[in-house]
């Protein structure tokens, strides 16, 4: 059996960090929006192995090490393709949880920029959890898959849900929010790689002078008010990443000068995104940014 799944990237329309928790994680309050930029994952498993599993009763032996071979290939070489890849980790975890032993071949067409603040790894991880659920007929609910996903990353539950959401707690408390109204999103990743862990480690939660109006944004979204939504866009992680890489601020300003309603950094960065009402204006801004050499990973996409 071959199963092909799309794994969408996200941007944070608003990102607030409320506190650092004793366990090292941070409590956040953010609005997550999927965009039409996605990786394509193809999962292949022998039908015989699937049937064997379906016939056999689930073995509830969590201590069992799964011996199945999971192989991953990709069009990109700037990510690990071994057991360190979140896709392999997710398949392995699902296999161990549900007593599955079936070799799996996975091909990852990587289109989402890496270490970009767009949840590239988390969304692939979520797709792998969904794939194992579907291939082996586990019939897990979205909630059950989210509970498994959060063990592998704070953004994974959102990627399983894959609808516009308010994300709280460490990212595991999710509530539905109305999707971003029709617009064009210009996404540009400057040629810098940023580690999410490093950004959170350097964030001084107690010294933040401004916080985004997340509740105001939820109201604006529910009123389908694009202008007001754009006004509420803010990301407190810019206090760390922009200080280290002033080019990010430059990119934000250029997007605004080129006609964006507003532009901010996504996640821990360095990707910057701007909202445009006109597709033509967004494409002109894309060309301007590419021509100036500010980014070679620049896209105009729609909210999903
Ligand atoms: P987030 O927005 O969730 O912080 P990010 O976009 O900043 O994520 P990723 O692209 O997810 O960052 O990559 C972070 C690291 O995760 C990479 O350096 C890579 O080594 C590792 N990684 C593991 N699996 C994957 C995957 N499937 N795709 C991309 N990176 C992966």
């Amino acid at each position: 059996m071959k199963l092909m799944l799309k794994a969408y990237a996200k941007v944070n329309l608003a990102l607030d960090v409320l506190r650092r928790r004793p366990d090292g994680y941070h409590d956040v309050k953010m609005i997550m929006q999927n965009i039409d930029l996605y990786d394509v994952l193809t999962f292949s498993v022998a039908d015989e192995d699937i049937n064997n599993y379906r016939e056999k009763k689930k073995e509830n032996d969590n201590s069992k090490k799964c011996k199945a071979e999971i192989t991953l290939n990709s069009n990109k070489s700037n990510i690990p393709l071994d057991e360190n890849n979140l896709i392999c980790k997710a398949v392995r975890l699902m296999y161990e949880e549900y007593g599955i032993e079936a070799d799996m071949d996975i091909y990852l067409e990587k289109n989402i920029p890496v270490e970009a603040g767009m949840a590239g790894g988390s969304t692939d991880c979520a797709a792998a959890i969904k794939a194992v659920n579907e291939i082996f007929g586990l019939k897990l609910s979205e909630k059950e898959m989210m509970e498994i996903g959060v063990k592998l990353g704070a953004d994974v539950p959102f990627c399983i849900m894959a609808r516009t959401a308010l994300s709280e707690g460490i990212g595991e408390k999710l509530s539905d929010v109305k999707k971003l109204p029709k617009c064009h999103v210009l996404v540009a990743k400057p040629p810098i790689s940023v580690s999410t862990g490093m950004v959170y480690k350097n964030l001084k939660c107690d010294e933040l002078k401004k916080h985004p109006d997340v509740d105001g944004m939820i109201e604006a979204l529910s009123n389908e008010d694009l202008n007001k939504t754009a006004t509420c866009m803010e990301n407190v992680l810019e206090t760390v990443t922009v200080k280290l890489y002033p080019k990010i601020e430059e990119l934000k300003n250029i997007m605004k000068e080129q006609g964006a309603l507003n532009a901010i950094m996504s996640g821990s960065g360095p990707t910057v995104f701007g909202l445009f009402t006109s597709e033509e204006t967004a494409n002109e801004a894309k060309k301007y940014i590419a021509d100036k050499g500010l980014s070679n990973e620049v896209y105009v996409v729609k909210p999903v």
Side-chain angles (χ1 to χ4, degrees), residues 137-172:
L138 303 179
K139 298 199 171 72
L140 299 180
S141 65
E142 190 176 86
K143 189 164 169 281
E144 286 171 310
M145 287 193 280
M146 285 175 174
E147 280 164 8
I148 294 173
V150 76
K151 295 180 188 168
L152 295 167
D155 280 349
V156 180
F158 163 73
C159 296
I160 286 170
M161 176 177 169
R163 301 184 298 275
T164 310
L166 166 68
S167 166
E168 295 171 291
I170 64 161
E172 85 291 7

PDB file of all heavy atoms in Angstrom, residues 137-172:
ATOM      1  N   GLY A 137      -5.205   0.951  10.121  1.00  0.00           N
ATOM      2  CA  GLY A 137      -6.613   0.969  10.571  1.00  0.00           C
ATOM      3  C   GLY A 137      -6.761   1.090  12.074  1.00  0.00           C
ATOM      4  O   GLY A 137      -7.593   0.430  12.688  1.00  0.00           O
ATOM      5  N   LEU A 138      -5.942   1.959  12.690  1.00  0.00           N
ATOM      6  CA  LEU A 138      -5.982   2.055  14.155  1.00  0.00           C
ATOM      7  C   LEU A 138      -7.231   2.785  14.663  1.00  0.00           C
ATOM      8  O   LEU A 138      -7.591   2.655  15.822  1.00  0.00           O
ATOM      9  CB  LEU A 138      -4.721   2.776  14.672  1.00  0.00           C
ATOM     10  CG  LEU A 138      -3.368   2.164  14.289  1.00  0.00           C
ATOM     11  CD1 LEU A 138      -2.223   2.998  14.852  1.00  0.00           C
ATOM     12  CD2 LEU A 138      -3.262   0.732  14.814  1.00  0.00           C
ATOM     13  N   LYS A 139      -7.840   3.592  13.799  1.00  0.00           N
ATOM     14  CA  LYS A 139      -9.049   4.346  14.143  1.00  0.00           C
ATOM     15  C   LYS A 139      -8.861   5.252  15.369  1.00  0.00           C
ATOM     16  O   LYS A 139      -9.740   5.359  16.232  1.00  0.00           O
ATOM     17  CB  LYS A 139     -10.233   3.399  14.381  1.00  0.00           C
ATOM     18  CG  LYS A 139     -10.611   2.580  13.145  1.00  0.00           C
ATOM     19  CD  LYS A 139     -12.037   2.041  13.283  1.00  0.00           C
ATOM     20  CE  LYS A 139     -12.541   1.425  12.015  1.00  0.00           C
ATOM     21  NZ  LYS A 139     -11.923   0.141  11.668  1.00  0.00           N
ATOM     22  N   LEU A 140      -7.706   5.904  15.470  1.00  0.00           N
ATOM     23  CA  LEU A 140      -7.464   6.819  16.588  1.00  0.00           C
ATOM     24  C   LEU A 140      -8.203   8.125  16.334  1.00  0.00           C
ATOM     25  O   LEU A 140      -8.321   8.561  15.191  1.00  0.00           O
ATOM     26  CB  LEU A 140      -5.965   7.119  16.728  1.00  0.00           C
ATOM     27  CG  LEU A 140      -5.040   5.946  17.008  1.00  0.00           C
ATOM     28  CD1 LEU A 140      -3.607   6.427  17.125  1.00  0.00           C
ATOM     29  CD2 LEU A 140      -5.461   5.244  18.288  1.00  0.00           C
ATOM     30  N   SER A 141      -8.667   8.747  17.416  1.00  0.00           N
ATOM     31  CA  SER A 141      -9.314  10.053  17.278  1.00  0.00           C
ATOM     32  C   SER A 141      -8.222  11.106  17.123  1.00  0.00           C
ATOM     33  O   SER A 141      -7.038  10.865  17.432  1.00  0.00           O
ATOM     34  CB  SER A 141     -10.155  10.364  18.519  1.00  0.00           C
ATOM     35  OG  SER A 141      -9.287  10.499  19.626  1.00  0.00           O
ATOM     36  N   GLU A 142      -8.636  12.290  16.677  1.00  0.00           N
ATOM     37  CA  GLU A 142      -7.686  13.413  16.548  1.00  0.00           C
ATOM     38  C   GLU A 142      -7.011  13.656  17.903  1.00  0.00           C
ATOM     39  O   GLU A 142      -5.790  13.846  17.980  1.00  0.00           O
ATOM     40  CB  GLU A 142      -8.484  14.644  16.105  1.00  0.00           C
ATOM     41  CG  GLU A 142      -7.641  15.814  15.695  1.00  0.00           C
ATOM     42  CD  GLU A 142      -8.511  16.948  15.174  1.00  0.00           C
ATOM     43  OE1 GLU A 142      -8.992  17.759  15.990  1.00  0.00           O
ATOM     44  OE2 GLU A 142      -8.691  17.025  13.943  1.00  0.00           O
ATOM     45  N   LYS A 143      -7.828  13.600  18.984  1.00  0.00           N
ATOM     46  CA  LYS A 143      -7.308  13.866  20.329  1.00  0.00           C
ATOM     47  C   LYS A 143      -6.237  12.825  20.707  1.00  0.00           C
ATOM     48  O   LYS A 143      -5.186  13.175  21.259  1.00  0.00           O
ATOM     49  CB  LYS A 143      -8.471  13.842  21.324  1.00  0.00           C
ATOM     50  CG  LYS A 143      -8.112  14.296  22.695  1.00  0.00           C
ATOM     51  CD  LYS A 143      -9.360  14.628  23.514  1.00  0.00           C
ATOM     52  CE  LYS A 143      -9.015  14.813  24.959  1.00  0.00           C
ATOM     53  NZ  LYS A 143      -8.821  13.550  25.700  1.00  0.00           N
ATOM     54  N   GLU A 144      -6.498  11.571  20.403  1.00  0.00           N
ATOM     55  CA  GLU A 144      -5.524  10.526  20.741  1.00  0.00           C
ATOM     56  C   GLU A 144      -4.214  10.728  19.972  1.00  0.00           C
ATOM     57  O   GLU A 144      -3.127  10.570  20.515  1.00  0.00           O
ATOM     58  CB  GLU A 144      -6.103   9.142  20.422  1.00  0.00           C
ATOM     59  CG  GLU A 144      -7.160   8.695  21.423  1.00  0.00           C
ATOM     60  CD  GLU A 144      -7.888   7.429  20.994  1.00  0.00           C
ATOM     61  OE1 GLU A 144      -8.361   7.369  19.829  1.00  0.00           O
ATOM     62  OE2 GLU A 144      -7.988   6.504  21.813  1.00  0.00           O
ATOM     63  N   MET A 145      -4.347  11.128  18.703  1.00  0.00           N
ATOM     64  CA  MET A 145      -3.121  11.362  17.918  1.00  0.00           C
ATOM     65  C   MET A 145      -2.357  12.575  18.466  1.00  0.00           C
ATOM     66  O   MET A 145      -1.128  12.589  18.506  1.00  0.00           O
ATOM     67  CB  MET A 145      -3.468  11.552  16.441  1.00  0.00           C
ATOM     68  CG  MET A 145      -3.869  10.264  15.773  1.00  0.00           C
ATOM     69  SD  MET A 145      -3.929  10.395  13.984  1.00  0.00           S
ATOM     70  CE  MET A 145      -5.493  11.181  13.742  1.00  0.00           C
ATOM     71  N   MET A 146      -3.106  13.583  18.926  1.00  0.00           N
ATOM     72  CA  MET A 146      -2.450  14.774  19.496  1.00  0.00           C
ATOM     73  C   MET A 146      -1.674  14.420  20.761  1.00  0.00           C
ATOM     74  O   MET A 146      -0.589  14.936  21.009  1.00  0.00           O
ATOM     75  CB  MET A 146      -3.499  15.829  19.840  1.00  0.00           C
ATOM     76  CG  MET A 146      -4.055  16.549  18.647  1.00  0.00           C
ATOM     77  SD  MET A 146      -5.347  17.631  19.256  1.00  0.00           S
ATOM     78  CE  MET A 146      -5.764  18.508  17.774  1.00  0.00           C
ATOM     79  N   GLU A 147      -2.256  13.511  21.564  1.00  0.00           N
ATOM     80  CA  GLU A 147      -1.589  13.124  22.814  1.00  0.00           C
ATOM     81  C   GLU A 147      -0.276  12.396  22.531  1.00  0.00           C
ATOM     82  O   GLU A 147       0.693  12.531  23.270  1.00  0.00           O
ATOM     83  CB  GLU A 147      -2.529  12.247  23.657  1.00  0.00           C
ATOM     84  CG  GLU A 147      -3.543  13.107  24.399  1.00  0.00           C
ATOM     85  CD  GLU A 147      -4.747  12.328  24.936  1.00  0.00           C
ATOM     86  OE1 GLU A 147      -4.728  11.073  24.864  1.00  0.00           O
ATOM     87  OE2 GLU A 147      -5.691  12.972  25.389  1.00  0.00           O
ATOM     88  N   ILE A 148      -0.254  11.649  21.455  1.00  0.00           N
ATOM     89  CA  ILE A 148       1.000  10.979  21.068  1.00  0.00           C
ATOM     90  C   ILE A 148       1.961  12.039  20.509  1.00  0.00           C
ATOM     91  O   ILE A 148       3.133  12.083  20.841  1.00  0.00           O
ATOM     92  CB  ILE A 148       0.725   9.879  20.016  1.00  0.00           C
ATOM     93  CG1 ILE A 148      -0.100   8.768  20.662  1.00  0.00           C
ATOM     94  CG2 ILE A 148       2.034   9.345  19.422  1.00  0.00           C
ATOM     95  CD1 ILE A 148      -0.579   7.708  19.707  1.00  0.00           C
ATOM     96  N   GLY A 149       1.426  12.938  19.683  1.00  0.00           N
ATOM     97  CA  GLY A 149       2.235  13.948  19.012  1.00  0.00           C
ATOM     98  C   GLY A 149       2.980  14.878  19.960  1.00  0.00           C
ATOM     99  O   GLY A 149       4.148  15.218  19.710  1.00  0.00           O
ATOM    100  N   VAL A 150       2.335  15.255  21.053  1.00  0.00           N
ATOM    101  CA  VAL A 150       2.968  16.241  21.954  1.00  0.00           C
ATOM    102  C   VAL A 150       4.231  15.662  22.599  1.00  0.00           C
ATOM    103  O   VAL A 150       5.120  16.413  23.026  1.00  0.00           O
ATOM    104  CB  VAL A 150       1.958  16.776  23.011  1.00  0.00           C
ATOM    105  CG1 VAL A 150       1.713  15.762  24.109  1.00  0.00           C
ATOM    106  CG2 VAL A 150       2.426  18.119  23.575  1.00  0.00           C
ATOM    107  N   LYS A 151       4.336  14.316  22.605  1.00  0.00           N
ATOM    108  CA  LYS A 151       5.558  13.692  23.152  1.00  0.00           C
ATOM    109  C   LYS A 151       6.757  13.990  22.247  1.00  0.00           C
ATOM    110  O   LYS A 151       7.897  13.890  22.655  1.00  0.00           O
ATOM    111  CB  LYS A 151       5.384  12.167  23.247  1.00  0.00           C
ATOM    112  CG  LYS A 151       4.317  11.732  24.232  1.00  0.00           C
ATOM    113  CD  LYS A 151       4.232  10.209  24.234  1.00  0.00           C
ATOM    114  CE  LYS A 151       3.027   9.756  25.059  1.00  0.00           C
ATOM    115  NZ  LYS A 151       2.730   8.331  24.857  1.00  0.00           N
ATOM    116  N   LEU A 152       6.492  14.333  21.003  1.00  0.00           N
ATOM    117  CA  LEU A 152       7.578  14.547  20.037  1.00  0.00           C
ATOM    118  C   LEU A 152       7.831  16.028  19.739  1.00  0.00           C
ATOM    119  O   LEU A 152       8.835  16.382  19.136  1.00  0.00           O
ATOM    120  CB  LEU A 152       7.276  13.803  18.735  1.00  0.00           C
ATOM    121  CG  LEU A 152       7.257  12.271  18.886  1.00  0.00           C
ATOM    122  CD1 LEU A 152       6.657  11.610  17.670  1.00  0.00           C
ATOM    123  CD2 LEU A 152       8.666  11.745  19.130  1.00  0.00           C
ATOM    124  N   GLY A 153       6.921  16.893  20.126  1.00  0.00           N
ATOM    125  CA  GLY A 153       7.129  18.328  19.888  1.00  0.00           C
ATOM    126  C   GLY A 153       5.884  19.125  20.207  1.00  0.00           C
ATOM    127  O   GLY A 153       4.767  18.661  19.956  1.00  0.00           O
ATOM    128  N   ALA A 154       6.102  20.331  20.762  1.00  0.00           N
ATOM    129  CA  ALA A 154       4.982  21.146  21.228  1.00  0.00           C
ATOM    130  C   ALA A 154       4.046  21.585  20.092  1.00  0.00           C
ATOM    131  O   ALA A 154       2.858  21.812  20.319  1.00  0.00           O
ATOM    132  CB  ALA A 154       5.522  22.361  21.971  1.00  0.00           C
ATOM    133  N   ASP A 155       4.579  21.711  18.867  1.00  0.00           N
ATOM    134  CA  ASP A 155       3.736  22.159  17.740  1.00  0.00           C
ATOM    135  C   ASP A 155       3.044  20.995  17.014  1.00  0.00           C
ATOM    136  O   ASP A 155       2.235  21.219  16.121  1.00  0.00           O
ATOM    137  CB  ASP A 155       4.588  22.914  16.696  1.00  0.00           C
ATOM    138  CG  ASP A 155       4.860  24.354  17.111  1.00  0.00           C
ATOM    139  OD1 ASP A 155       4.225  24.826  18.073  1.00  0.00           O
ATOM    140  OD2 ASP A 155       5.695  24.998  16.457  1.00  0.00           O
ATOM    141  N   VAL A 156       3.383  19.767  17.398  1.00  0.00           N
ATOM    142  CA  VAL A 156       2.829  18.608  16.667  1.00  0.00           C
ATOM    143  C   VAL A 156       1.296  18.504  16.811  1.00  0.00           C
ATOM    144  O   VAL A 156       0.608  18.273  15.815  1.00  0.00           O
ATOM    145  CB  VAL A 156       3.554  17.295  17.055  1.00  0.00           C
ATOM    146  CG1 VAL A 156       2.978  16.119  16.290  1.00  0.00           C
ATOM    147  CG2 VAL A 156       5.051  17.424  16.775  1.00  0.00           C
ATOM    148  N   PRO A 157       0.742  18.706  18.034  1.00  0.00           N
ATOM    149  CA  PRO A 157      -0.730  18.623  18.133  1.00  0.00           C
ATOM    150  C   PRO A 157      -1.434  19.579  17.167  1.00  0.00           C
ATOM    151  O   PRO A 157      -2.402  19.193  16.512  1.00  0.00           O
ATOM    152  CB  PRO A 157      -1.010  18.989  19.592  1.00  0.00           C
ATOM    153  CG  PRO A 157       0.239  18.602  20.318  1.00  0.00           C
ATOM    154  CD  PRO A 157       1.360  18.895  19.362  1.00  0.00           C
ATOM    155  N   PHE A 158      -0.914  20.802  17.049  1.00  0.00           N
ATOM    156  CA  PHE A 158      -1.538  21.730  16.085  1.00  0.00           C
ATOM    157  C   PHE A 158      -1.442  21.167  14.666  1.00  0.00           C
ATOM    158  O   PHE A 158      -2.384  21.258  13.878  1.00  0.00           O
ATOM    159  CB  PHE A 158      -0.899  23.130  16.136  1.00  0.00           C
ATOM    160  CG  PHE A 158      -1.244  23.921  14.906  1.00  0.00           C
ATOM    161  CD1 PHE A 158      -2.520  24.429  14.724  1.00  0.00           C
ATOM    162  CD2 PHE A 158      -0.317  24.084  13.882  1.00  0.00           C
ATOM    163  CE1 PHE A 158      -2.878  25.093  13.559  1.00  0.00           C
ATOM    164  CE2 PHE A 158      -0.654  24.747  12.710  1.00  0.00           C
ATOM    165  CZ  PHE A 158      -1.936  25.261  12.550  1.00  0.00           C
ATOM    166  N   CYS A 159      -0.300  20.606  14.326  1.00  0.00           N
ATOM    167  CA  CYS A 159      -0.123  20.089  12.956  1.00  0.00           C
ATOM    168  C   CYS A 159      -1.050  18.913  12.693  1.00  0.00           C
ATOM    169  O   CYS A 159      -1.427  18.671  11.549  1.00  0.00           O
ATOM    170  CB  CYS A 159       1.334  19.715  12.712  1.00  0.00           C
ATOM    171  SG  CYS A 159       2.439  21.136  12.778  1.00  0.00           S
ATOM    172  N   ILE A 160      -1.434  18.179  13.733  1.00  0.00           N
ATOM    173  CA  ILE A 160      -2.408  17.097  13.547  1.00  0.00           C
ATOM    174  C   ILE A 160      -3.784  17.706  13.300  1.00  0.00           C
ATOM    175  O   ILE A 160      -4.518  17.294  12.413  1.00  0.00           O
ATOM    176  CB  ILE A 160      -2.395  16.151  14.767  1.00  0.00           C
ATOM    177  CG1 ILE A 160      -1.124  15.299  14.685  1.00  0.00           C
ATOM    178  CG2 ILE A 160      -3.653  15.265  14.814  1.00  0.00           C
ATOM    179  CD1 ILE A 160      -0.807  14.484  15.874  1.00  0.00           C
ATOM    180  N   MET A 161      -4.083  18.753  14.049  1.00  0.00           N
ATOM    181  CA  MET A 161      -5.382  19.422  13.898  1.00  0.00           C
ATOM    182  C   MET A 161      -5.457  20.123  12.540  1.00  0.00           C
ATOM    183  O   MET A 161      -6.450  20.013  11.826  1.00  0.00           O
ATOM    184  CB  MET A 161      -5.516  20.421  15.054  1.00  0.00           C
ATOM    185  CG  MET A 161      -6.727  21.278  15.062  1.00  0.00           C
ATOM    186  SD  MET A 161      -6.673  22.274  16.571  1.00  0.00           S
ATOM    187  CE  MET A 161      -7.976  23.441  16.226  1.00  0.00           C
ATOM    188  N   ALA A 162      -4.373  20.835  12.200  1.00  0.00           N
ATOM    189  CA  ALA A 162      -4.231  21.488  10.896  1.00  0.00           C
ATOM    190  C   ALA A 162      -5.405  22.393  10.512  1.00  0.00           C
ATOM    191  O   ALA A 162      -5.825  22.433   9.360  1.00  0.00           O
ATOM    192  CB  ALA A 162      -3.958  20.452   9.802  1.00  0.00           C
ATOM    193  N   ARG A 163      -5.950  23.093  11.509  1.00  0.00           N
ATOM    194  CA  ARG A 163      -6.933  24.157  11.244  1.00  0.00           C
ATOM    195  C   ARG A 163      -6.503  25.363  12.058  1.00  0.00           C
ATOM    196  O   ARG A 163      -5.843  25.202  13.094  1.00  0.00           O
ATOM    197  CB  ARG A 163      -8.336  23.749  11.731  1.00  0.00           C
ATOM    198  CG  ARG A 163      -8.913  22.500  11.125  1.00  0.00           C
ATOM    199  CD  ARG A 163     -10.340  22.270  11.635  1.00  0.00           C
ATOM    200  NE  ARG A 163     -10.421  22.070  13.076  1.00  0.00           N
ATOM    201  CZ  ARG A 163     -10.240  20.907  13.699  1.00  0.00           C
ATOM    202  NH1 ARG A 163      -9.935  19.841  13.004  1.00  0.00           N
ATOM    203  NH2 ARG A 163     -10.347  20.800  15.014  1.00  0.00           N
ATOM    204  N   THR A 164      -6.906  26.560  11.624  1.00  0.00           N
ATOM    205  CA  THR A 164      -6.519  27.776  12.352  1.00  0.00           C
ATOM    206  C   THR A 164      -6.889  27.619  13.832  1.00  0.00           C
ATOM    207  O   THR A 164      -8.000  27.199  14.155  1.00  0.00           O
ATOM    208  CB  THR A 164      -7.217  29.006  11.753  1.00  0.00           C
ATOM    209  OG1 THR A 164      -7.009  28.973  10.348  1.00  0.00           O
ATOM    210  CG2 THR A 164      -6.668  30.292  12.340  1.00  0.00           C
ATOM    211  N   ALA A 165      -5.934  27.938  14.702  1.00  0.00           N
ATOM    212  CA  ALA A 165      -6.163  27.648  16.121  1.00  0.00           C
ATOM    213  C   ALA A 165      -5.493  28.654  17.041  1.00  0.00           C
ATOM    214  O   ALA A 165      -4.483  29.257  16.688  1.00  0.00           O
ATOM    215  CB  ALA A 165      -5.627  26.255  16.447  1.00  0.00           C
ATOM    216  N   LEU A 166      -6.092  28.780  18.234  1.00  0.00           N
ATOM    217  CA  LEU A 166      -5.423  29.438  19.351  1.00  0.00           C
ATOM    218  C   LEU A 166      -4.690  28.322  20.075  1.00  0.00           C
ATOM    219  O   LEU A 166      -5.274  27.296  20.413  1.00  0.00           O
ATOM    220  CB  LEU A 166      -6.466  30.077  20.286  1.00  0.00           C
ATOM    221  CG  LEU A 166      -5.947  30.516  21.654  1.00  0.00           C
ATOM    222  CD1 LEU A 166      -4.982  31.701  21.537  1.00  0.00           C
ATOM    223  CD2 LEU A 166      -7.108  30.890  22.581  1.00  0.00           C
ATOM    224  N   SER A 167      -3.390  28.531  20.285  1.00  0.00           N
ATOM    225  CA  SER A 167      -2.575  27.511  20.922  1.00  0.00           C
ATOM    226  C   SER A 167      -2.095  28.032  22.271  1.00  0.00           C
ATOM    227  O   SER A 167      -1.503  29.105  22.353  1.00  0.00           O
ATOM    228  CB  SER A 167      -1.390  27.208  19.989  1.00  0.00           C
ATOM    229  OG  SER A 167      -0.412  26.490  20.666  1.00  0.00           O
ATOM    230  N   GLU A 168      -2.377  27.271  23.329  1.00  0.00           N
ATOM    231  CA  GLU A 168      -1.963  27.681  24.677  1.00  0.00           C
ATOM    232  C   GLU A 168      -1.252  26.530  25.383  1.00  0.00           C
ATOM    233  O   GLU A 168      -1.067  25.468  24.796  1.00  0.00           O
ATOM    234  CB  GLU A 168      -3.192  28.135  25.477  1.00  0.00           C
ATOM    235  CG  GLU A 168      -3.837  29.395  24.898  1.00  0.00           C
ATOM    236  CD  GLU A 168      -5.159  29.725  25.557  1.00  0.00           C
ATOM    237  OE1 GLU A 168      -6.126  28.963  25.338  1.00  0.00           O
ATOM    238  OE2 GLU A 168      -5.226  30.734  26.259  1.00  0.00           O
ATOM    239  N   GLY A 169      -0.912  26.747  26.660  1.00  0.00           N
ATOM    240  CA  GLY A 169      -0.103  25.763  27.384  1.00  0.00           C
ATOM    241  C   GLY A 169       1.267  25.759  26.712  1.00  0.00           C
ATOM    242  O   GLY A 169       1.783  26.825  26.343  1.00  0.00           O
ATOM    243  N   ILE A 170       1.848  24.571  26.500  1.00  0.00           N
ATOM    244  CA  ILE A 170       3.110  24.549  25.741  1.00  0.00           C
ATOM    245  C   ILE A 170       2.823  24.419  24.246  1.00  0.00           C
ATOM    246  O   ILE A 170       3.729  24.306  23.423  1.00  0.00           O
ATOM    247  CB  ILE A 170       4.063  23.418  26.197  1.00  0.00           C
ATOM    248  CG1 ILE A 170       3.448  22.029  25.933  1.00  0.00           C
ATOM    249  CG2 ILE A 170       4.472  23.583  27.642  1.00  0.00           C
ATOM    250  CD1 ILE A 170       4.479  20.910  25.917  1.00  0.00           C
ATOM    251  N   GLY A 171       1.520  24.392  23.913  1.00  0.00           N
ATOM    252  CA  GLY A 171       1.125  24.224  22.510  1.00  0.00           C
ATOM    253  C   GLY A 171       0.098  23.112  22.373  1.00  0.00           C
ATOM    254  O   GLY A 171      -0.407  22.848  21.297  1.00  0.00           O
ATOM    255  N   GLU A 172      -0.193  22.473  23.509  1.00  0.00           N
ATOM    256  CA  GLU A 172      -1.083  21.298  23.457  1.00  0.00           C
ATOM    257  C   GLU A 172      -2.544  21.676  23.666  1.00  0.00           C
ATOM    258  O   GLU A 172      -3.436  20.893  23.384  1.00  0.00           O
ATOM    259  CB  GLU A 172      -0.612  20.231  24.466  1.00  0.00           C
ATOM    260  CG  GLU A 172      -1.087  20.381  25.900  1.00  0.00           C
ATOM    261  CD  GLU A 172      -0.501  21.564  26.665  1.00  0.00           C
ATOM    262  OE1 GLU A 172       0.208  22.411  26.080  1.00  0.00           O
ATOM    263  OE2 GLU A 172      -0.785  21.665  27.876  1.00  0.00           O
TER     264      GLU A 172
END
